Amino acid sequence: MSDHVDAVAHLQKAARPSRHVAADNGALRPKAPTPALPTPAIARPTVWAASQVSYEEVLDAVRALEVANGTTSPKQVRSQVLFTETLLGWLLRFPGESWQQRWHASGADSADKDWTTLAAEPDKHGHLVAAAGRLLLLDVIRPDYSWLYATHATPRLYERLRALRDPEGFAHIERLCDADTRMLPSDRRQALNQLTRMLVHNGGTLTDITLPDCIEAHRAQDGYRGRSQPRWYTLLREAAILPADSPPTIFAAARRGQLTIEEMVDRYDVACHPIRDLLVAYLYERRPAMDYNSIRYLAAKLVLLFWRDLEIHEPGIDSLHLSDEVARRWKTRLSGPVLYGSNRVGKKREDPYTILMAVRAFYADLSHWALEDPARWAAWAAPSPVDSRDLAGMTKMLKQSRSRTHQRIRELAPLLPRLVDAARDHRTRAMELLDTAVATPPGAPFTVAGQTLRRASLSDDANTGKKTSRGHVYVDTPAGSGSTDRPQDNRRNLSLEADRAFWAWALVEVLRHTGARIEEVLEITHRSFVSYRLPTTGEVIPMLQITPSKTDKERLLVIGHELAVAFAEIISRVRADNEQLPLVSRYDNAERIHSPELPFLFQRPWGTGRITMSSSYVVKLLDEVVTIAKITNSDGTPAKFSPHDFRRIFATEAVASGLPVHITAKILGHDSIATTQTYVAVYDHDVIDHHRAYITRRRALRPSQEYREPTDSEWDEFLGHFAQRKLELGTCGRAYGSGCQHEHACIRCPMLRPDPAQHRRLQSIIDSLRERITEATERGWLGEVDGLRTSLAAAEQKLTQMQRTATNLGMPIFPRRPDGPRRPPIRP
């Protein structure tokens, strides 16, 4: 028996240090690189001491393993040895210096849970799984994660693995689990099993686990239903196995993060390398003045939607000098769907002007930089394929978009009070329902607001005594109330419903009182509150500090009474029984970075930890309130409140209430007043009211005697003025109370407004002037000739003016009626 125990010890001892020892006896088998993995691929050894033992040594180690496990039945020991012989005999069919190499050559890893069908008949599935478990215990093979996640091992096997591989390390991890009061038995089991899988795959002990190992294990979980919770990662951080500066969560560690400029360009596979280098250099020049999200979208527009599109449709293109035909075809394709890359294949681009503007700026920058640094940029200067005519419709499109947005705000603003009341009432009802359920014994029914429910009875865990619901309160619909036969189909989590109702109310209050962007609201922390003391009265005013977001400028907002109440309740709920708010890290989707751990206000429990709220979660909460309150638009369709709608409504109501536009711009964090003006939705009645108020102010500035009732003589004089302005050829346009300044030379006077009805009379005057000019010329009356010619020129000008103001369109000709004679045309 001592020989068997020594064999097991030899295998285990040889397996532990092999995790970080170079494979001198065999080649390293590199794992296929994952495109999104932020770390290099990990080279896994395929040869180590425990994997190179002979066939007989493995069987001896299996016997010793069973005896050491307390198996006293020789029959059971022989059964495990026979199972192992079957599996080893199958592996011997494949080439390799070690059992690990033969395991990979067999294709068992890629077959996942169906790997046993490759080795034997289906009736031997259990035998092969048991044999594979023994090889895992002895560290003879180290399967890939795909096999480990797909093959469901027994809890007893994982317990034996932990006892053999690293008993001290797992004992420390279990003590950390005991200290976590929120951890459920299922969370504990999943965390320990995940760490066990990592040792099976990597070898060594828990202290050998690195951050790249964690990322590899997490990414390998994608696509498997049994995906474990990320508590195993935080346990490694708490046990000081991972460094203190490691990312706070496995999600933060596994995310790709920010791409470099080269990666942004190279992901589109540009064929022309000189153009590729130019695009990289151009984006590097633009990056200092832009945030990450903006530079990423600019790269997509220039590389994918401009140059790569040209390479696909114009094979062999290698110059920025585009012919008119090539440029025209490219601009025509802008209105179609994106047929390349990851930009939602088949989605139509509704705004091609942003792409045109980016390309035009690209060519303009190259031309400008060519003058400043000819050696670097002059070779790339070229005429722009986008001119002002291509952008002619952009202004109209922007106006239409702005008009639609303003109309949307006009429809939503009257519905905002209903949304506020609905959020408050929904929160009140949810809390009342939860409080009643808490006071009801498990299994007993209760009635709230005419609704009868039954408190669900959830069993405690037999080992730890913890509730499997993390303290949540569940209720079931009693029989006979339209419920199904399965209680879980009618089960409701009242704790979750109350939590969602509270956060919906809190978000509505904060959004409508601050007018902040949604990313600014979600970034509010407990440290964002400051106070300002008025120098005159000494009054302390609470202020909210908005962190830089879109414009990279901080600003302060005054906290009103209603907003202060909302913040106080948020802080009280997040803090709960703790002395301070929990610290969590927030992921910025735009910048693709994780913040330090801060006391964010908008955070919620998730599993055994806490996470910050996302913009998509906020939208879901708002939609729930709208659905519950049945808020609809004027046409009967369900209303849709987005977080940015609150910002536009805030701006509109602020300006309508008399707040100056430049002050509103400061509150909203706009760099330009013009931006604020686009946010303000002006109503028709606002235009009328403001215009009437303007007229009232103007009248108040003028002498009051000008607005008295006129006398009869003044009224007659006023009417007489218009009677005296009537002339032979039209009407005089001189102002009231003024006399004729042109000595009644009406034919020459620019104030004469000719009447088109006097066309013939004016024509006869022109003919008479021509005859008089002829007579004066014959008789030598040269003084008369000059005067008559001046009058003739003025008369001809008046005739032209008559023709412009009056155009005879004629009368329509009616067709013949089928039941009567044709009507004669009406002549003018």
Side-chain angles (χ1 to χ4, degrees):
M1 176 177 176
S2 60
D3 296 337
H4 299 316
V5 176
D6 292 341
V8 175
H10 171 71
L11 292 175
Q12 296 299 326
K13 183 177 180 180
R16 294 189 183 186
S18 65
R19 173 68 173 79
H20 295 288
V21 176
D24 297 333
N25 299 326
L28 294 178
R29 189 181 69 88
K31 186 173 177 61
T34 304
L37 194 64
T39 55
I42 302 174
R44 300 291 181 192
T46 60
V47 174
W48 59 89
S51 185
Q52 283 187 301
V53 297
S54 64
Y55 179 88
E56 291 76 11
E57 289 177 323
V58 175
L59 297 181
D60 292 341
V62 171
R63 294 189 187 95
L65 186 66
E66 294 302 317
V67 173
N69 190 41
T71 304
T72 58
S73 173
K75 182 177 180 181
Q76 294 181 357
V77 174
R78 287 195 303 270
S79 299
Q80 294 298 333
V81 173
L82 290 175
F83 298 161
T84 307
E85 288 179 351
T86 303
L87 180 57
L88 294 179
W90 175 63
L91 292 177
L92 285 174
R93 302 177 189 175
F94 303 97
E97 299 180 14
S98 64
W99 296 108
Q100 178 72 2
Q101 292 181 354
R102 297 186 185 99
W103 173 264
H104 287 309
S106 67
D109 280 332
S110 58
D112 295 341
K113 64 181 179 180
D114 298 329
W115 68 276
T116 56
T117 59
L118 304 176
E121 294 78 9
D123 58 345
K124 294 186 178 181
H125 173 79
H127 300 172
L128 294 176
V129 171
R134 300 308 179 270
L135 297 185
L136 296 182
L137 290 171
L138 298 173
D139 199 28
V140 175
I141 60 174
R142 297 175 182 174
D144 287 347
Y145 281 118
S146 58
W147 188 91
L148 292 173
Y149 289 136
T151 303
H152 299 285
T154 60
R156 175 60 179 163
L157 175 62
Y158 280 160
E159 292 176 1
R160 295 179 65 183
L161 281 168
R162 290 192 283 269
L164 287 173
R165 295 295 181 90
D166 191 5
E168 296 180 359
F170 280 103
H172 182 41
I173 294 295
E174 290 187 358
R175 286 193 295 270
L176 295 176
C177 294
D178 294 336
D180 188 355
T181 58
R182 291 185 55 85
M183 179 175 283
L184 298 179
S186 59
D187 301 327
R188 180 193 188 103
R189 182 175 60 256
Q190 289 181 3
L192 293 176
N193 289 349
Q194 177 65 11
L195 294 177
T196 306
R197 293 189 194 98
M198 295 179 68
L199 292 194
V200 172
H201 179 264
N202 301 338
T205 61
L206 291 176
T207 56
D208 298 325
I209 295 178
T210 62
L211 182 61
D213 295 332
C214 297
I215 297 175
E216 179 189 26
H218 172 72
R219 290 190 176 277
Q221 288 179 317
D222 293 339
Y224 293 97
R225 297 182 59 184
R227 183 170 182 170
S228 62
Q229 293 292 337
R231 186 68 176 96
W232 58 271
Y233 177 84
T234 55
L235 287 173
L236 293 177
R237 294 184 75 236
E238 295 172 6
I241 297 175
L242 296 178
D245 58 349
S246 58
T249 62
I250 185 58
F251 303 108
R255 284 193 174 101
R256 178 60 184 86
Q258 292 187 355
L259 299 173
T260 63
I261 296 296
E262 289 81 0
E263 290 172 332
M264 292 181 188
V265 176
D266 291 340
R267 62 179 176 172
Y268 299 122
D269 301 326
V270 177
C272 182
H273 291 284
I275 298 295
R276 178 262 179 197
D277 296 337
L278 171 65
L279 292 169
V280 170
Y282 176 78
L283 292 175
Y284 267 116
E285 292 291 329
R286 293 289 306 274
R287 184 170 185 174
M290 306 176 71
D291 56 18
Y292 176 78
N293 203 37
S294 300
I295 198 68
R296 185 167 60 93
Y297 279 113
L298 179 61
K301 294 172 185 176
L302 294 180
V303 183
L304 171 63
L305 303 178
F306 172 60
W307 184 253
R308 188 62 182 135
D309 182 86
L310 289 174
E311 287 187 338
I312 294 175
H313 296 90
E314 311 290 341
I317 188 171
D318 58 357
S319 175
L320 293 179
H321 289 264
L322 306 182
S323 64
D324 294 340
E325 187 63 22
V326 171
R328 184 188 61 79
R329 289 196 294 265
W330 169 71
K331 287 181 283 190
T332 302
R333 290 192 298 270
L334 286 182
S335 58
V338 179
L339 299 178
Y340 179 84
S342 59
N343 290 39
R344 298 183 184 180
V345 175
K347 180 176 176 60
K348 184 178 180 180
R349 292 189 292 268
E350 299 178 355
D351 182 12
Y353 295 105
T354 57
I355 307 172
L356 294 174
M357 287 292 293
V359 173
R360 189 178 187 186
F362 172 61
Y363 277 84
D365 289 339
L366 293 180
S367 300
H368 179 68
W369 296 345
L371 299 176
E372 299 178 349
D373 190 359
R376 184 181 182 187
W377 304 105
W380 302 106
S384 174
V386 182
D387 54 23
S388 57
R389 294 171 296 179
D390 299 322
L391 304 175
M394 184 173 62
T395 303
K396 180 180 179 181
M397 184 205 65
L398 292 176
K399 290 182 178 179
Q400 292 176 348
S401 177
R402 190 178 306 166
S403 177
R404 290 192 298 267
T405 302
H406 287 178
Q407 181 61 29
R408 172 182 173 83
I409 299 304
R410 295 188 191 102
E411 294 178 356
L412 292 180
L415 301 178
L416 182 59
R418 292 182 55 191
L419 180 67
V420 174
D421 296 339
R424 182 183 63 252
D425 296 342
H426 179 47
R427 176 199 172 192
T428 303
R429 289 193 300 268
M431 287 302 302
E432 181 183 0
L433 191 61
L434 177 61
D435 294 340
T436 307
V438 170
T440 302
F446 63 94
T447 303
V448 176
Q451 184 181 14
T452 302
L453 300 171
R454 181 177 58 246
R455 173 80 181 271
S457 178
L458 302 178
S459 60
D460 296 343
D461 184 79
N463 299 325
T464 62
K466 295 180 181 179
K467 286 287 186 180
T468 58
S469 60
R470 283 196 185 92
H472 290 188
V473 177
Y474 292 85
V475 296
D476 296 328
T477 303
S481 301
S483 61
T484 62
D485 296 334
R486 300 172 58 190
Q488 58 269 26
D489 293 341
N490 302 281
R491 183 158 295 173
R492 294 169 55 184
N493 187 342
L494 297 186
S495 300
L496 181 60
E497 292 181 6
D499 185 72
R500 294 173 71 90
F502 172 82
W503 286 116
W505 167 82
L507 286 166
V508 169
E509 292 297 311
V510 175
L511 287 172
R512 76 184 183 97
H513 285 300
T514 61
R517 303 178 181 92
I518 182 59
E519 61 270 16
E520 295 172 344
V521 170
L522 297 180
E523 290 177 357
I524 297 177
T525 68
H526 201 193
R527 306 171 186 174
S528 301
F529 301 101
V530 296
S531 60
Y532 175 74
R533 185 180 298 274
L534 294 177
T536 55
T537 61
E539 180 184 358
V540 177
I541 300 178
M543 307 285 289
L544 175 65
Q545 185 178 17
I546 300 296
T547 56
S549 59
K550 189 174 182 179
T551 58
D552 290 335
K553 291 183 180 180
E554 293 186 355
R555 63 185 191 274
L556 294 175
L557 302 180
V558 178
I559 300 178
H561 174 71
E562 295 179 346
L563 185 58
V565 171
F567 279 134
E569 296 199 26
I570 291 173
I571 294 173
S572 176
R573 187 177 189 86
V574 175
R575 178 185 295 166
D577 298 332
N578 302 321
E579 295 182 359
Q580 58 185 5
L581 270 69
L583 302 180
V584 294
S585 176
R586 181 180 181 273
Y587 179 71
D588 191 336
N589 289 288
E591 294 296 326
R592 294 193 175 182
I593 57 176
H594 280 82
S595 70
E597 293 187 342
L598 296 172
F600 289 102
L601 296 189
F602 292 92
Q603 57 173 282
R604 60 189 179 97
W606 192 76
T608 57
R610 301 184 70 87
I611 60 172
T612 57
M613 296 183 187
S614 62
S615 301
S616 59
Y617 185 76
V618 173
V619 174
K620 291 180 180 178
L621 295 181
L622 296 177
D623 291 343
E624 285 182 4
V625 176
V626 172
T627 303
I628 293 174
K630 298 180 181 180
I631 302 176
T632 59
N633 297 317
S634 56
D635 57 355
T637 59
K640 176 70 175 179
F641 279 87
S642 69
H644 210 72
D645 290 334
F646 291 89
R647 182 173 172 83
R648 297 183 181 276
I649 295 175
F650 177 88
T652 302
E653 293 182 349
V655 175
S657 300
L659 190 66
V661 178
H662 66 283
I663 301 298
T664 306
K666 290 293 183 181
I667 295 176
L668 296 177
H670 290 156
D671 289 335
S672 174
I673 298 179
T675 305
T676 308
Q677 291 174 339
T678 61
Y679 272 56
V680 178
V682 180
Y683 297 84
D684 293 338
H685 64 82
D686 291 337
V687 177
I688 298 174
D689 294 343
H690 282 78
H691 194 188
R692 294 182 61 187
Y694 168 76
I695 295 175
T696 302
R697 291 194 300 269
R698 287 290 304 272
R699 293 188 63 174
L701 296 176
R702 298 181 66 87
S704 59
Q705 59 270 18
E706 294 186 5
Y707 298 100
R708 60 179 175 80
E709 291 293 331
T711 62
D712 294 341
S713 59
E714 291 174 341
W715 184 251
D716 294 338
E717 181 183 356
F718 177 75
L719 297 178
H721 163 77
F722 293 99
Q724 292 178 359
R725 292 200 311 179
K726 295 181 179 180
L727 305 173
E728 177 187 10
L729 297 178
T731 305
C732 179
R734 67 179 185 271
Y736 171 74
S738 61
C740 182
Q741 300 178 1
H742 301 90
E743 299 179 356
H744 299 283
C746 298
I747 196 66
R748 303 181 182 180
C749 181
M751 301 300 296
L752 175 63
R753 298 177 181 175
D755 184 6
Q758 303 298 328
H759 181 274
R760 293 182 179 179
R761 183 179 294 275
L762 181 58
Q763 185 63 49
S764 63
I765 293 175
I766 292 175
D767 296 341
S768 175
L769 288 173
R770 290 173 179 169
E771 294 176 357
R772 293 179 61 186
I773 291 173
T774 302
E775 181 182 3
T777 303
E778 293 176 352
R779 296 179 179 272
W781 301 335
L782 300 181
E784 289 288 339
V785 172
D786 293 338
L788 292 173
R789 286 179 177 175
T790 302
S791 299
L792 178 61
E796 291 177 346
Q797 183 180 4
K798 294 294 188 296
L799 182 62
T800 303
Q801 186 177 356
M802 284 184 178
Q803 295 173 349
R804 290 178 179 175
T805 55
T807 302
N808 186 10
L809 300 179
M811 297 298 293
I813 299 177
F814 297 94
R816 183 189 302 273
R817 290 169 45 180
D819 55 348
R822 178 182 178 182
R823 294 182 179 180
I826 302 176
R827 301 297 182 184

